[in-house]
Amino acid sequence: MTGWGLNATQILAIAVFLATYVAIAIGRMPGLRVDRAGAALIGAALMVGCGVLSLEDAYRAIDLDTITLLLGMMIVVANLRLSGFFRMVTGWAAGRARHPVLLLSVVVMTTGVLSAFLVNDAICLVMAPIVITLTRALDRNPVPYLIAVALASNVGSTATITGNPQNMIIGNLSGISYGAFTGALLPVAALGLLVTILFVLLLNPREYMTRQALRSVTVPAHYHGWLAAKAALVSVAMIALFFLGQPVAKVAICAAALLLLTRRIEPRKVYAEIDGPLLLMFAGLFVVVRGLEHAVLTPDLLAQAARLDLGNTAILTGVTAILSNLVSNVPAVLVLKPFIEHLHDPQRAWLVVAMASTLAGNFTLLGSVANLIVAERAAKDGITIDFWTYFRIGAPLTLATLAIGVFVLS
């Protein structure tokens, strides 16, 4: 034992955990070509290699339901995108907006609703180029609309278990049904989307305070009719089964398998849409957090942590939001896991964590992967979304939506 009361294994577990989370927070290992997925894998390997966990314990730490659900959703969304379904629907809706405020509303609501059911990161990949095409055809400033895409994708994804990766983890850890989860958080997402429209509108008066009508434009839509219909029908059936209480991981992977039965799309095009590094990062983080929990989080330490009163909705929201902005939302959810499990009402606490970790992603441009996807896609077309341009909308919107979340869930 050391003077601090820690043995060698505990010190190793803490060191590996901190090193992994620092690397994930900054996006790389300084001086090395190692990304977040690599950092998580190295951390997991060190937990096993240093004897903190056995290899069997590491295997058991990985939540295969979450990995399976995310993989299935990636394949479903890939089929919807490759079939042209998203461009067809969005182009049809946006083509009927005759004023910038209506166009903004269409962009926010379409992004938010799609993100609620089909993983927000993937929806941003789809929506950003469509919005760029639309705004350029209409001679409008694309920046506020693109920022609206990022904001709405995070807010909308709050509503369901399949809205984003951290909600998928929470759904599996908490055991909350799809319907109950949506029933609790749909009001937060719906009010949040309305507030998103309001904030983007008020903070960009030159773009939206005008009487000038928009001319009619058509977004070029290349789609495969039968494939788009099939992907849409399978997606609707999948979501219906979610609400009927079927295991979400099983339903998602079966839907994915059904969509792979096709003569029109080469499998490699679908596989290219699968975010392998994200799945790898998830697996590694499960092991790293389990190593810390196993070696360090003793009953005495958990009892001391109870003094933070994480059962209080406002306090838990604040802790989750701050932690999510420090190390990103998925790592934040995993590190909170052992503390949430020991609360008096863990299911309600998990709903608070889902709400806060998701909405906190809107605080800065670096707050979520969805934000970065939109910014990077814009940059490819010569459009700059800088930190402060985003922050002046994202920060106040985050505080407002978190307040809504605390009010609804209290």
Side-chain angles (χ1 to χ4, degrees):
M1 302 290 288
T2 70
W4 295 96
L6 298 175
N7 59 39
T9 300
Q10 290 174 318
I11 293 172
L12 282 170
I14 293 172
V16 170
F17 173 82
L18 291 176
T20 302
Y21 268 62
V22 167
I24 287 172
I26 63 178
R28 60 185 177 84
M29 284 188 175
L32 297 172
R33 291 185 178 274
V34 179
D35 60 5
R36 287 185 171 93
L41 179 60
I42 292 169
L46 288 173
M47 284 292 187
V48 175
C50 293
V52 178
L53 289 175
S54 68
L55 193 57
E56 290 73 21
D57 286 336
Y59 292 152
R60 285 192 290 269
I62 299 172
D63 189 334
L64 292 178
D65 277 349
T66 298
I67 302 294
T68 301
L69 172 58
L70 189 53
L71 174 61
M73 294 302 297
M74 286 176 181
I75 294 173
V76 170
V77 172
N79 276 269
L80 287 166
R81 192 184 78 81
L82 292 170
S83 71
F85 173 82
F86 292 123
R87 181 172 288 270
M88 178 178 63
V89 171
T90 307
W92 178 85
R96 283 155 178 75
R98 292 293 180 264
H99 189 275
V101 173
L102 291 177
L103 180 60
L104 172 66
S105 300
V106 167
V107 168
V108 168
M109 299 309 294
T110 301
T111 303
V113 172
L114 290 175
S115 294
F117 297 102
L118 298 171
V119 191
N120 63 338
D121 296 346
I123 298 305
C124 283
L125 282 169
V126 172
M127 289 296 298
I130 295 174
V131 167
I132 291 170
T133 301
L134 264 174
T135 51
R136 284 185 167 170
L138 292 166
D139 294 324
R140 309 305 300 180
N141 177 11
V143 173
Y145 296 94
L146 288 168
I147 291 175
V149 168
L151 298 173
S153 73
N154 289 319
V155 173
S157 73
T158 307
T160 74
I161 287 172
T162 53
N164 55 59
Q166 64 269 20
N167 282 7
M168 294 182 190
I169 293 175
I170 290 170
N172 285 319
L173 293 177
S174 67
I176 301 173
S177 71
Y178 198 91
F181 190 103
T182 303
L185 291 179
L186 180 60
V188 177
L191 290 172
L193 289 174
L194 294 176
V195 173
T196 300
I197 295 170
L198 182 63
F199 271 63
V200 176
L201 190 158
L202 293 178
L203 293 172
N204 294 279
R206 290 185 179 180
E207 174 63 28
Y208 299 110
M209 302 302 184
T210 177
R211 295 182 179 180
Q212 180 183 358
L214 298 178
R215 64 178 181 272
S216 179
V217 297
T218 302
V219 179
H222 305 289
Y223 61 91
H224 304 281
W226 162 242
L227 189 61
K230 175 187 174 185
L233 288 171
V234 170
S235 299
V236 169
M238 176 184 72
I239 293 168
L241 289 171
F242 288 161
F243 279 108
L244 289 173
Q246 291 298 309
V248 289
K250 181 181 77 172
V251 172
I253 203 65
C254 287
L258 182 60
L259 288 174
L260 286 174
L261 293 171
T262 179
R263 296 180 297 175
R264 297 177 182 271
I265 296 181
E266 293 184 31
R268 62 180 177 82
K269 291 184 178 180
V270 176
Y271 302 153
E273 302 283 320
I274 296 173
D275 191 344
L278 180 63
L279 298 176
L280 184 63
M281 187 184 81
F282 270 40
L285 283 175
F286 280 126
V287 176
V288 170
V289 172
R290 178 57 185 148
L292 181 76
E293 183 180 358
H294 176 74
V296 179
L297 298 184
T298 62
D300 288 342
L301 184 60
L302 290 171
Q304 292 179 17
R307 298 176 185 175
L308 293 173
D309 193 19
L310 293 179
N312 181 289
T313 300
I315 292 175
L316 182 56
T317 295
V319 169
T320 304
I322 292 170
L323 191 58
S324 294
N325 274 283
L326 290 175
V327 297
S328 190
N329 38 35
V330 169
V333 165
L334 289 176
V335 81
L336 285 169
K337 169 180 170 285
F339 303 99
I340 299 300
E341 290 174 340
H342 288 81
L343 295 178
H344 173 69
D345 188 357
Q347 289 204 343
R348 189 185 66 83
W350 276 125
L351 291 171
V352 174
V353 171
M355 175 274 295
S357 64
T358 301
L359 297 178
N362 277 336
F363 193 70
T364 72
L365 187 60
L366 306 176
S368 76
V369 174
N371 301 348
L372 295 174
I373 287 171
V374 172
E376 290 172 3
R377 184 62 183 80
K380 290 180 180 178
D381 281 75
I383 301 166
T384 300
I385 301 176
D386 61 54
F387 182 90
W388 294 109
T389 300
Y390 180 94
F391 185 75
R392 73 184 184 90
I393 304 174
L397 176 66
T398 299
L399 297 177
T401 51
L402 286 173
I404 291 171
V406 171
F407 175 77
V408 171
L409 295 177
S410 292

